[in-house]
Amino acid sequence: MTRRVAVIGGGSSGLASIKTCLDEGLQPVCFESSDDIGGLWKFKENPEADRASIYQSVIINTSKEMMCFSDFPIPAHYPNYMHNSLIVDYFRMFADRFQLTRHIRFNTKVLQVKQRSDFSRSGQWDVETENKDGEKEKHIFDAVMICIGHHCHPNLPLHDFPGIDSFTGKFFHSRDYKTADEWRHKKAVVIGIGNSGGDIAESRDRCNVSNASAVQPLYLSTRRGAWILNRVGNYGLPLDMEFNRLVDSLKSILPHNLFCGLVESQLNQRFDHALYNLKPKHRMFSQHPTVNDELPNRILSGTVQVKPNIRRFQGSSVEFDDGSVVEDVFATGYRFSFPFLASHVVSVSENKASLYKYVFPPELDRPTLAIIGLVQPLGAIMPISEMQARWATRVFKGELLLPTTMAKRYVSSQRHTIQVDYISYMDEIAELVGVRPSLPRLLLTDPRLGLNLMFGPCTPYQYRLRGPGKWAGARQAIFTQWERVARPMQTRPCHDPKPERSLKWLLVVAAAAVGLAGYVNRNGLPALLQDPTALLDKIKVYLPAQ
């Protein structure tokens, strides 16, 4: 009998899980609480409870070649860094191509997921759902994949800010921020320098700059500081495509502080983080960096000012360690939880969950529950969710056993309890699935491909070259990935000017001829110098005929 798998959530992780179930011969049923796919990336004017919500101007900070599903490249004409609406369009193409939506029940909320009484033998789960009409239904599944991500519940730590109860201004979480219009003429404080905080700071400022007569400074409050990355890398190419297996190998070989120092030096060449009051207390690879192209420009122009942590609120003012401003807007973070699961199945405390390689609860008698996409990688999350799903479905089928755990080195912070290194983690799970590319073998049997894998970007297609789920188009997708990078920027024909004829080589040949003539006639050189006509006749012998 075909195993039935409940997939909770219809975002990027849910779509990858549905497809992987189908690839493995499983029967997925996806429960999506909203009326559409897309999850986090589906913009909605009014945020829904217990759901992630983005603002209208959000552009993803991972490039299309690095974030796509491994057997479905993003169209070549799409920009390298896509607006949220284009990301949802890509998800629709993916869902249509593999006929995924027929397996999704929209407007259906999962109320409870619990082990059946015979779980230790069957590994089955009771799942209770409720549709938009309030009708409840109970189901039995052989396995469950939870794909709701970690942007579920806004983290608004009011207890950390004395005097917040007396604050007369307006404050809210970044999930409630949609456009900059409301703050166009007001002073504001953004608390937190994660990707959302940095984006809101520069987007609000951009809105102000469009009306120069009403420019108001925006204050960006940060406790730790942050290393700031630019989307645009060397030669104008996407930055995340510069991190390849060679760089990853150096990262593992060199001492941690030395490698961090090398990268930090490169970042400080763009702008000095200490000069801009952004230099953090941690090293580069100890916490997730912030990706923001405009923030240094805003600071340089004086429209964004970096401030330390808030000391307290008082009336209409916000007091920092060095001053005060008014009218505050929060941009903190998120916390995750699984309210439909019993706490003994997956316990979450201070944004930490005990999960085997970030996927499997280790205490279960049967490995039939997988958490997909609960990571914050130094890279794109979509391919990681897909790889986790490929691993989980094969574990469900009994074709793979769970291996040993691994240690983590990251700074203790709520935001970084689920952080992983992209290449290392992908390779680790791919090894378990049997799809990690063998570089030594490829360098011998297919040198061109092997060199691409070693020195080129670690794009998801690499994990479709061999093993379960092998895709015949993977090799060609790797060879054409730079063409897809260039395509959206080729919007105007550029013709290099024809080089003018140069006398450089003629002069070089003439100088060589002079030197050769002087060497051959070194004994009679004084006489030649006294008779320039004779010297010219000697040189002409070695010059090219006209």
Side-chain angles (χ1 to χ4, degrees), residues 313-338:
F313 291 85
Q314 190 172 7
S316 63
S317 68
V318 180
E319 182 180 346
F320 301 97
D321 292 337
D322 60 353
S324 63
V325 293
V326 296
E327 304 213 58
D328 182 28
V329 47
F330 274 124
T332 52
Y334 284 87
R335 56 184 175 85
F336 59 84
S337 69
F338 310 107

Side-chain angles (χ1 to χ4, degrees), residues 10 28 63 67 107-108 175 178 191 204 247 262 273 330 388 413 440 450 464-465 471 487 521:
S63 65
M67 63 158 277
N107 298 305
T108 303
R175 76 188 299 271
K178 296 304 172 186
I191 303 176
R204 200 303 299 253
V247 174
L262 293 173
H273 283 62
F330 274 124
Q388 289 177 330
S413 167
R464 292 284 182 179
L465 290 168
W471 175 43
R487 171 73 181 280
N521 298 280

Side-chain angles (χ1 to χ4, degrees), residues 233-247:
N234 293 329
Y235 305 104
L237 298 172
L239 177 68
D240 57 359
M241 295 188 74
E242 294 181 8
F243 296 99
N244 53 37
R245 293 183 182 278
L246 179 62
V247 174

